[in-house]
Amino acid sequence: MPTEVALLESRALRGEQMGRVDVLDKVKSLVMLPDGIHVRTEDVARYFEVSTGAVRRLTDRHQEEFTENGLRVLRGADLQSFHSDMMSLWAREGVESYPQAATQLRLYTRRTVLNIAMLLRDSDIARCVRTYLLDAEESLRTRYASLDQRVTRIESCLTGVGSALQELGPVLVRMSERLDSLDRKVEVTHQVIGAMSLRLTDVQQDVVRLDGRLDGRLDCFARQLKDLRRRSGQRGQR
């Protein structure tokens, strides 16, 4: 874990933290200009509770780094244009006057202010910002370590699953073969049942025909028996 000293001394470490501008408002409210983007030197000094001279000296010593992180120095036409924009925005908010710089104006973004917080030694607010950054970094590292352990456990489980699947493969093949064999037997059974159904249909038709013939013969026998009885009766009368 990086230390506060390392953060003060290493530009590379400071660069890694430039995306954490949210910590500024978590430590103390940073009042922006009406455009919501910039603050002036006096606003930065008020935030860190130091003199404007301390802020200017720090920005002069690390001008290149601060410029990369949003520091702008306005002069001439650019300064007049910016003042005009700010006066228009302040007028919308009901502010009658706007303090204007005479010859030049240094403008800082949130990234620049965070950059100052990582370099300003004689400010309790800056130290709080650095502490917050380092604590958040440690918390983030802890979460990443926990996540890494969880991923490692999952990978171990997946390794066991892979071995189990390899052992299960031949079993699945044998089961597939047995199911194929069973499908073939079922198909043959269906064919036999179909043939038996056709045979039974033929037998039914034969029974119907035989029943018709039997009914005819029984009717004939009944008539013959009736005739025989009639003849026998006639002979008895004689």
Side-chain angles (χ1 to χ4, degrees), residues 53 149 170 178 204:
Q149 292 173 358
R178 293 184 65 182
Q204 182 182 13

Side-chain angles (χ1 to χ4, degrees), residues 30-33 35-45 48 52 54-60 66 69-73 82 105-116:
L30 177 62
V31 180
M32 311 296 292
L33 288 175
D35 63 356
I37 300 174
H38 299 98
V39 291
R40 300 161 301 175
T41 303
E42 50 266 39
D43 301 320
V44 177
F48 288 111
T52 56
V55 176
R56 289 194 181 95
R57 287 191 296 271
L58 185 66
T59 54
D60 288 340
F66 288 140
N69 289 306
L71 176 66
R72 297 171 59 196
V73 179
F82 181 81
L105 176 65
R106 298 190 186 193
L107 293 177
Y108 308 75
T109 64
R110 287 181 177 271
R111 286 175 62 92
T112 322
V113 176
L114 181 61
N115 201 163
I116 292 173

Side-chain angles (χ1 to χ4, degrees), residues 156-172:
S156 300
C157 293
L158 290 177
T159 301
V161 170
S163 301
L165 290 176
Q166 289 178 353
E167 296 175 358
L168 188 60
V171 176
L172 293 176

Side-chain angles (χ1 to χ4, degrees), residues 17-209:
Q17 302 295 330
M18 278 298 108
R20 301 297 312 281
V21 295
D22 57 297
V23 304
L24 295 172
D25 288 321
K26 292 180 180 180
V27 173
K28 182 181 177 181
S29 178
L30 177 62
V31 180
M32 311 296 292
L33 288 175
D35 63 356
I37 300 174
H38 299 98
V39 291
R40 300 161 301 175
T41 303
E42 50 266 39
D43 301 320
V44 177
R46 188 177 302 111
Y47 177 84
F48 288 111
E49 300 176 1
V50 295
S51 66
T52 56
V55 176
R56 289 194 181 95
R57 287 191 296 271
L58 185 66
T59 54
D60 288 340
R61 286 198 303 271
H62 302 274
Q63 185 173 4
E64 180 183 352
E65 182 177 348
F66 288 140
T67 300
E68 289 181 2
N69 289 306
L71 176 66
R72 297 171 59 196
V73 179
L74 300 183
R75 298 181 180 86
D78 292 336
L79 178 59
Q80 294 301 320
S81 176
F82 181 81
H83 282 327
S84 176
D85 293 339
M86 289 301 100
M87 290 177 66
S88 176
L89 291 172
W90 280 42
R92 294 177 189 176
E93 297 180 0
V95 180
E96 296 182 356
S97 62
Y98 162 71
Q100 301 183 28
T103 58
Q104 69 175 27
L105 176 65
R106 298 190 186 193
L107 293 177
Y108 308 75
T109 64
R110 287 181 177 271
R111 286 175 62 92
T112 322
V113 176
L114 181 61
N115 201 163
I116 292 173
M118 289 186 280
L119 283 166
L120 189 60
R121 297 175 182 269
D122 300 326
S123 167
D124 291 337
I125 301 299
R127 279 191 289 270
C128 287
V129 173
R130 291 194 292 270
T131 299
Y132 198 103
L133 284 173
L134 295 173
D135 288 347
E137 177 73 13
E138 177 62 19
S139 175
L140 187 61
R141 289 177 184 272
T142 301
R143 290 199 297 270
Y144 280 157
S146 175
L147 179 61
D148 183 65
Q149 292 173 358
R150 292 168 61 186
V151 171
T152 300
R153 288 196 296 269
I154 292 172
E155 289 175 346
S156 300
C157 293
L158 290 177
T159 301
V161 170
S163 301
L165 290 176
Q166 289 178 353
E167 296 175 358
L168 188 60
V171 176
L172 293 176
V173 171
R174 290 195 296 271
M175 290 180 63
S176 178
E177 293 174 350
R178 293 184 65 182
L179 289 174
D180 290 341
S181 176
L182 183 60
D183 286 341
R184 290 193 294 269
K185 290 180 180 179
V186 170
E187 181 63 27
V188 171
T189 301
H190 286 167
Q191 294 176 359
V192 172
I193 292 174
M196 290 177 64
S197 177
L198 292 175
R199 292 290 301 275
L200 288 173
T201 301
D202 294 340
V203 170
Q204 182 182 13
Q205 293 175 353
D206 292 341
V207 169
V208 170
R209 287 194 297 269

